[in-house]
């Protein structure tokens, strides 16, 4: 592992591991988790990296290996040491960073790759949602060894499953069937189906400031905003990426700012309320850029990871300038 500090980005090299997801801890400032796979996730094992920031750069705090590629990671919302990852073998893994070995628990029900996992953010619930290539979504209570329920309806691979930060028991999913779907845990079914793109949708996210607003990112290179009160037309469309959009995230600090990363190797920052929405294009990876997250503690800080075997934390110029 080699880390370079200072300059535009703090970088940790992870030889032989291709990054799929990066998530900042909601508790510890500067702590980052990265889910990665060998051989671009096609074969081999996976590793969960836990990183800390220091003045000299990024330092590896702990790493955990799994026998298949790890494709996503989510931090517990009620225990600063606990995370969940998901894997190419159809399982979810529960890890504790306070312990040198793991996992504490494995949940194996999906029959194909699990590409997405997310821990609920609303108070009173401690639930995890997972989305799989087997076209199902499963709901988990991490204290229970089996899933609470399974949601069916998507007609292709599910790439993204994200809890609403506002509405308890509500989550969104994005799929290769070209739809964005909104689900209600209490209704045990789908509430809204949005034919959001004429292409596979690889990512979706909820706005942190508007409970009705979501964004989708697809292999058609476009980002589209959706108001759940009227899904006939997108409320915005952001164009500029030249290959598939792999992940999209709304800022936790700015109501109309979001970021996207792509197979075009770039990360782009947008303000959809502006006439010229593209704020900045960051080109510091040499391979598919798959993982992306905004810091929850620092309004200017972003992390990403890519298939070039690097994890980066940096402060984009557009976030350090006054709006």
């Amino acid at each position: 592992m080699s880390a370079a500090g200072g300059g535009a980005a703090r970088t940790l090299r992870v030889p032989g591991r291709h990054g799929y997801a990066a998530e900042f801890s909601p508790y510890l400032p500067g702590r980052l988790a990265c889910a990665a796979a060998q051989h671009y996730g096609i074969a081999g094992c996976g590793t969960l990296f836990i990183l800390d920031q220091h003045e000299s750069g990024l330092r590896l705090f702990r790493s955990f290996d799994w026998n298949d590629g790890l494709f996503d990671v989510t931090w517990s919302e009620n225990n600063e040491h606990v995370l969940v990852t998901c894997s190419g073998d159809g399982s979810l893994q529960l890890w504790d960073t306070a312990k040198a070995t793991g996992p504490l628990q494995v949940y194996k029900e999906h029959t194909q790759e699990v590409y997405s996992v997310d821990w609920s953010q609303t108070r009173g619930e401690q639930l995890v949602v997972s989305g799989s290539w087997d076209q199902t979504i499963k709901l988990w209570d991490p204290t229970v060894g089996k899933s609470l329920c399974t949601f069916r309806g998507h007609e292709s691979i599910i790439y993204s499953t994200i809890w609403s930060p506002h509405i308890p028991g509500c989550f969104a999913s994005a799929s290769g069937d070209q739809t964005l779907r909104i689900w209600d845990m209490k209704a045990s079914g789908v509430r809204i189906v949005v034919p959001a793109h004429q292409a596979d949708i690889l990512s979706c996210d909820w706005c942190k400031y508007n409970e009705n607003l979501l964004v989708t990112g697809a292999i058609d290179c476009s980002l589209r905003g959706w108001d759940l009160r009227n899904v006939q037309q997108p409320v915005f469309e952001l164009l500029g990426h030249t290959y598939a959009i792999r992940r999209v995230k709304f800022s936790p600090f700015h109501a109309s700012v979001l970021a996207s990363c792509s197979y075009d190797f770039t990360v782009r920052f947008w303000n959809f309320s502006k006439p010229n929405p593209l704020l900045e294009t960051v080109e510091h990876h040499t391979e598919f850029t798959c993982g992306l997250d905004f810091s929850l503690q620092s309004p200017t800080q972003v992390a990403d990871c890519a298939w070039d075997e690097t994890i980066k934390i940096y402060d984009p110029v557009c976030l350090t300038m006054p709006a």
Side-chain angles (χ1 to χ4, degrees), residues 40-63:
Y40 307 98
I42 298 163
C45 64
T47 304
L48 170 63
F49 297 102
I50 311 297
L51 287 61
D52 286 324
Q53 291 181 71
H54 297 271
E55 278 156 28
S56 59
L58 299 183
R59 194 176 301 167
L60 185 67
F61 171 73
R62 192 152 277 165
S63 65

Side-chain angles (χ1 to χ4, degrees), residues 195-207:
H197 297 257
Q198 290 181 301
D200 291 32
I201 307 168
L202 302 188
S203 186
C204 63
D205 197 28
W206 295 81
C207 180

Side-chain angles (χ1 to χ4, degrees), residues 17-274:
R17 294 292 183 275
H18 303 110
Y20 266 89
E23 295 282 325
F24 279 104
S25 165
Y27 289 100
L28 300 174
R31 178 157 288 186
L32 181 75
C34 176
Q38 270 187 313
H39 307 304
Y40 307 98
I42 298 163
C45 64
T47 304
L48 170 63
F49 297 102
I50 311 297
L51 287 61
D52 286 324
Q53 291 181 71
H54 297 271
E55 278 156 28
S56 59
L58 299 183
R59 194 176 301 167
L60 185 67
F61 171 73
R62 192 152 277 165
S63 65
F64 299 100
D65 289 326
W66 185 244
N67 55 19
D68 209 316
L70 297 180
F71 295 140
D72 201 10
V73 59
T74 185
W75 288 92
S76 164
E77 293 287 338
N78 69 346
N79 183 328
E80 67 184 42
H81 302 294
V82 171
L83 316 88
V84 174
T85 52
C86 60
S87 172
D89 62 7
S91 69
L92 281 66
Q93 305 80 28
L94 184 79
W95 309 92
D96 185 337
T97 62
K99 296 180 169 59
T101 59
L104 299 183
Q105 188 132 11
V106 177
Y107 311 92
K108 177 76 172 79
E109 288 186 27
H110 285 294
T111 57
Q112 290 178 255
E113 291 92 332
V114 187
Y115 238 49
S116 179
V117 66
D118 194 37
W119 197 295
S120 59
Q121 297 174 38
T122 53
R123 293 172 192 274
E125 299 177 328
Q126 294 301 326
L127 299 170
V128 170
V129 64
S130 60
S132 170
W133 289 26
D134 66 12
Q135 305 183 17
T136 71
I137 298 164
K138 287 182 180 284
L139 190 69
W140 310 83
D141 176 339
T143 63
V144 177
K146 61 181 190 297
S147 65
L148 302 179
C149 57
T150 302
F151 297 86
R152 292 179 172 85
H154 276 299
E155 295 168 16
S156 183
I157 289 169
I158 297 162
Y159 290 106
S160 183
T161 48
I162 307 287
W163 287 103
S164 166
H166 309 279
I167 308 162
C170 178
F171 60 89
S173 60
S175 167
D177 67 11
Q178 310 181 358
T179 67
L180 168 71
R181 295 180 188 231
I182 311 301
W183 307 79
D184 185 347
M185 187 180 108
K186 297 169 188 68
S188 300
V190 69
R191 273 179 48 205
I192 303 171
V193 179
V194 185
H197 297 257
Q198 290 181 301
D200 291 32
I201 307 168
L202 302 188
S203 186
C204 63
D205 197 28
W206 295 81
C207 180
K208 312 298 186 281
Y209 292 85
N210 179 344
E211 68 177 30
N212 293 302
L213 184 63
L214 290 96
V215 64
T216 51
I219 65 170
D220 63 8
C221 310
S222 75
L223 295 155
R224 291 179 179 172
W226 302 95
D227 186 323
L228 296 181
R229 293 165 296 188
N230 181 5
V231 295
Q232 299 307 307
Q233 297 288 332
V235 290
F236 62 81
E237 184 174 49
L238 305 173
L239 302 173
H241 281 294
T242 55
Y243 285 94
I245 293 163
R246 182 61 180 81
R247 203 175 292 268
V248 59
K249 292 277 181 84
F250 273 107
S251 166
F253 291 100
H254 306 280
S256 57
V257 170
L258 55 92
S260 54
C261 65
S262 165
Y263 292 163
D264 67 13
F265 308 173
T266 71
V267 180
R268 294 175 195 240
F269 295 87
W270 314 81
N271 184 332
F272 63 80
S273 69
K274 291 187 180 296

